[in-house]
Amino acid sequence: MNAAHRPGEDVELVINWGLGVDSTAYLVRVLDDPVGHGVDLSRTVVLHQLTGDEWPTTRAHAERFVLPLLRQRQVRLVQVARASRALEIAVMDDSRQPERIIERGPWTLWDEYEAGGTVPQQGGIRLCSLHAKGEVGDSWIEQGIGRRPFRQVMGFNADERGRKRRDEAANKNPWRQGVYPLIDWGWGRARCEAFLYERFGVRWEKSYCSFCCFPVSMGAMADHLDRMRAHPEIAGRVLRLEYTSVSLNPQARLFGRRSLLEQFDPGRAADRPVLAAFEEELACPGALYHVRRILPVSKADPTRRGRPMRSVERVHVGRPSALGRRLRTVSERHGYPVEVDERYGRVRTWMRRREPELPTVEELMVTAPYHVQNKQAGHFEREWRAHSWRGLRRRD
């Protein structure tokens, strides 16, 4: 970190750089000809918000092709990450001579999903991007620029005008002016890709987390799976994350109705390294979890489901096979139905299944990798008693 940089340094332009195709195309074009684009590089900050789970090839291309340009032009690169689940930030590097792209900060999205036993959800706004990028960048700007007018370049391409409108509507900083040069230039994704290929001779890959749930909706599933096959160790890790999530909640697949695991065929040679890496990931210690879930009625609309509430308790830690045998024995003794995944070893017992009518609850015991932490809202037990009683009365 360059100690010469201090909050309040005269910054006129902030360039959001996510390492991907679009923002990189803009950044490189400006670095090649700053005067022609009306940019004073001495008053510019390139801001990179770390998610902690960038693909290795994307980082490598950024270090090989873009960092030398930043060093040559003496452009300030700030790499910032979330420091904890609370909105605290950590500046990982702040330099006009950056040597590398920092891989992760103290807190990452992966940490949150792994500890919670969940995966990103497709519905609604992209909260993961908001937590790891938007809020982090806004916090740094508040500290690093303060109450001074500045422009912020957002790398939305010409095919993403809706993102521009949403960014303008969400802006709460009166000192900020959002600018969208790729839209102004009419540069869509294909044009940005072509520019980078012409400039560097490589196919620049899209930047996103390895466990992202949006490749399906982006029409990029085939490319995503090829990327997984090229990095089986990453694929195995993500498969373990999804497997844990589905263990605690059979509905919680990475792609909604489709799971990532279903995309890989043991009979296909290209998929075998991925599945082998997954099995290596499952060779970790296991845990027995007690999971309770409340599916309430929405307070705003009684015809719809409200926000679910969940309690997860890690009851035991040990060898997965031993935990599974113990759970099967106890469940059969008490007459509870047992589900066994013969291929990968998961054992799940249902003490109470959800009913079709809301509100309802469900309760289960399940074996899964040990990474999930105990979690329960302070008012959960009160709500559990109330909703469980409603279910019993309805059955009577």
Side-chain angles (χ1 to χ4, degrees):
M1 181 182 297
N2 189 330
H5 302 314
R6 294 181 173 84
E9 184 176 286
D10 189 16
V11 176
E12 189 275 333
L13 182 68
V14 175
I15 300 174
N16 273 31
W17 184 33
L19 309 186
V21 173
D22 303 326
S23 60
T24 301
Y26 168 78
L27 177 59
V28 170
R29 196 176 188 208
V30 165
L31 292 174
D32 285 345
D33 183 15
V35 176
H37 291 90
V39 173
D40 180 354
L41 294 180
S42 68
R43 302 178 63 199
T44 295
V45 165
V46 177
L47 185 62
H48 173 48
Q49 297 107 314
L50 283 67
T51 64
D53 201 79
E54 188 53 75
W55 290 91
T57 306
T58 305
R59 285 201 319 273
H61 283 167
E63 291 179 344
R64 179 182 175 188
F65 299 111
V66 182
L67 293 195
L69 297 177
L70 292 173
R71 292 194 294 267
Q72 179 185 352
R73 292 287 191 175
Q74 296 276 308
V75 179
R76 183 181 175 192
L77 172 64
V78 176
Q79 301 187 68
V80 63
R82 206 173 185 117
S84 66
R85 187 65 183 83
L87 187 48
E88 303 171 0
I89 64 170
V91 177
M92 306 304 297
D93 192 42
D94 185 346
S95 174
R96 295 186 184 273
Q97 292 292 308
E99 294 293 333
R100 65 189 180 100
I101 298 297
I102 307 299
E103 186 170 351
R104 60 161 291 161
W107 176 94
T108 70
L109 285 169
W110 177 275
D111 298 335
E112 178 175 344
Y113 289 121
E114 184 175 63
T118 58
V119 291
Q121 300 297 302
Q122 289 183 310
I125 61 175
R126 301 188 183 189
L127 289 175
C128 52
S129 181
L130 178 66
H131 291 328
K133 292 185 175 182
E135 293 175 348
V136 172
D138 290 346
S139 184
W140 181 86
I141 285 171
E142 182 180 352
Q143 298 175 27
I145 299 178
R147 298 191 174 191
R148 299 186 183 192
F150 69 99
R151 294 179 299 143
Q152 185 172 20
V153 172
M154 307 300 291
F156 307 149
N157 68 51
D159 307 320
E160 300 177 311
R161 296 179 186 274
R163 295 184 70 186
K164 172 187 175 181
R165 290 191 291 270
R166 290 192 293 273
D167 181 71
E168 291 173 329
N171 181 32
K172 297 178 182 179
N173 188 338
W175 303 96
R176 172 187 183 268
Q177 177 191 353
V179 289
Y180 316 91
L182 294 175
I183 294 177
D184 296 339
W185 300 348
W187 280 30
R189 172 57 57 84
R191 182 68 185 89
C192 292
E193 289 176 334
F195 170 76
L196 292 174
Y197 186 81
E198 293 164 5
R199 183 68 171 76
F200 301 120
V202 298
R203 177 179 173 269
W204 209 277
E205 296 181 338
K206 183 175 176 60
S207 170
Y208 62 95
C209 292
S210 62
F211 53 90
C212 182
C213 62
F214 287 100
V216 170
S217 60
M218 296 186 300
M221 191 63 171
D223 288 343
H224 177 64
L225 295 178
D226 284 343
R227 214 168 184 180
M228 288 269 178
R229 294 181 184 107
H231 300 279
E233 72 289 350
I234 294 177
R237 190 168 174 253
V238 177
L239 284 169
R240 191 252 298 163
L241 183 76
E242 181 191 55
Y243 191 77
T244 303
S245 175
V246 172
S247 296
L248 272 60
N249 180 1
Q251 309 298 319
R253 306 175 188 89
L254 197 50
F255 306 122
R257 295 182 179 179
R258 301 166 61 186
S259 74
L260 177 63
L261 184 58
E262 293 168 354
Q263 312 308 311
F264 296 104
D265 181 358
R268 186 186 299 131
D271 290 351
R272 289 179 197 138
V274 169
L275 295 173
F278 172 44
E279 293 193 23
E280 289 181 13
E281 285 286 332
L282 292 181
C284 64
L288 176 63
Y289 298 98
H290 180 206
V291 182
R292 292 177 291 166
R293 187 172 289 107
I294 302 170
L295 305 172
V297 172
S298 169
K299 295 180 181 179
D301 182 354
T303 66
R304 304 186 65 178
R305 193 179 80 181
R307 184 176 181 179
M309 291 175 278
R310 187 188 71 163
S311 168
V312 177
E313 180 187 3
R314 189 166 59 183
V315 181
H316 296 291
V317 175
R319 286 177 35 239
S321 57
L323 293 171
R325 286 195 301 270
R326 179 180 178 185
L327 179 57
R328 291 179 71 170
T329 299
V330 174
S331 300
E332 289 166 1
R333 185 186 307 150
H334 289 85
Y336 290 128
V338 178
E339 299 172 352
V340 180
D341 178 357
E342 299 291 353
R343 181 172 181 82
Y344 296 114
R346 175 184 59 224
V347 178
R348 183 193 290 122
T349 294
W350 292 96
M351 284 100 86
R352 190 165 179 178
R353 290 185 180 271
R354 68 176 68 178
E355 298 176 6
E357 183 181 344
L358 295 174
T360 186
V361 299
E362 62 184 17
E363 183 175 11
L364 61 130
M365 301 287 291
V366 67
T367 62
Y370 75 101
H371 307 82
V372 183
Q373 304 296 311
N374 293 346
K375 187 174 182 180
Q376 183 187 96
H379 62 290
F380 180 86
E381 294 295 348
R382 181 180 70 249
E383 294 294 332
W384 176 261
R385 288 192 296 270
H387 284 81
S388 298
W389 177 246
R390 289 193 193 103
L392 290 172
R393 290 184 63 186
R394 188 162 59 225
R395 278 186 283 181
D396 292 342

